Amino acid sequence: PSLRREGLSSVPHVTWASVGGLDSLKKELDHCIVRCIKYPEYYKKFGVNMQAGVLLFGPPGCGKTLIAKAVAHDAGANFIHIKGPELLSKYVGESESGVRKIFTRARINSPCILFFDEVDALTTKRGKEGGWVVERLLNQLLIELDGAGQREGVYVIGATNRIDVIDDAVLRPGRFGQKHFVPLPGAEERASIIKALAYSQKKPISSTVDMDALARREECRNLSGADLASLVNGAAMAALEESLEPLENGALSLSSSCLDPSIELSHFEQA
Ligand code: ATP
């Protein structure tokens, strides 16, 4: 109970609507985690055994963390965010108990989504890099993932940009048995992401902006969700400055500039 009072976990505010694209992944996670938390009695009744964990892999900034938070929000579950490298440095010398404590904390806060970011740091192929600390952490993680019986209400989501270095033992069915690729968005997904960003952050996008055409532009081709977030934010900043100008010139009220993300694209063309 004292761990709960520490406020180390909470239900995130990220809704499904603020995640652009990734429709089939949303559906999959809804089936394998959200519904399990919402209707546990049905899963029990039909004897469905759930995987210990789901692994999301793919390039940086494409929504792995965001979607994990949306899962927790929709299920009304607490969310604990653990970064692989931090766990390594924080618990050197007490690595197994570190992993145990995290799972205990998750159980106390159940239903709970335990999100292991950069999980590759914990599971680099044994004997290669990192030595015994990684090995002991990994073994403890596997013990916890296997302890399905005591894991009531705790769901593990792992995320990595480097699935190639992850130990095969971790990827076995029953552990991170379900793997989902989270790719760079295509044109249609980019449009959904820009709309989701504008909607979730209540940004006053100019009515003259054609978001679908913007998302199809060549300069947007390799942009991740994180790049698009920074594009939209840059546009908001520019609109803000435009609004503040009359104030600085002695005008009494804010003018109501609306933002146009396409103006910001020049920064990305140079990048
Ligand atoms: P990393 O591998 O670097 O941890 P990640 O895949 O976990 O990256 P996120 O942290 O989820 O990426 O995304 C970073 C930010 O980019 C989000 O907070 C959000 O603003 C934006 N973003 C990324 N993908 C999406 C998306 N599909 N819809 C809406 N916003 C997105």
Side-chain angles (χ1 to χ4, degrees), residues 1-9 101 104-106 108-109:
S2 64
L3 282 173
R4 191 198 281 279
R5 278 201 301 275
E6 279 174 36
L8 293 166
S9 60
K101 273 182 203 158
T104 305
R105 208 169 96 201
I108 290 170
N109 287 284

Side-chain angles (χ1 to χ4, degrees), residues 79-127:
F79 185 81
I80 298 180
H81 190 158
I82 305 289
K83 292 195 171 123
E86 265 173 33
L87 185 63
L88 269 180
S89 55
K90 196 167 165 192
Y91 295 104
V92 168
E94 47 158 339
S95 34
E96 296 99 320
S97 68
V99 175
R100 261 199 310 271
K101 273 182 203 158
I102 289 165
F103 277 84
T104 305
R105 208 169 96 201
R107 277 191 289 272
I108 290 170
N109 287 284
S110 105
C112 184
I113 303 294
L114 194 44
F115 182 65
F116 280 101
D117 206 357
E118 299 174 63
V119 75
D120 46 280
L122 299 184
T123 74
T124 303
K125 282 194 173 108
R126 277 180 275 199

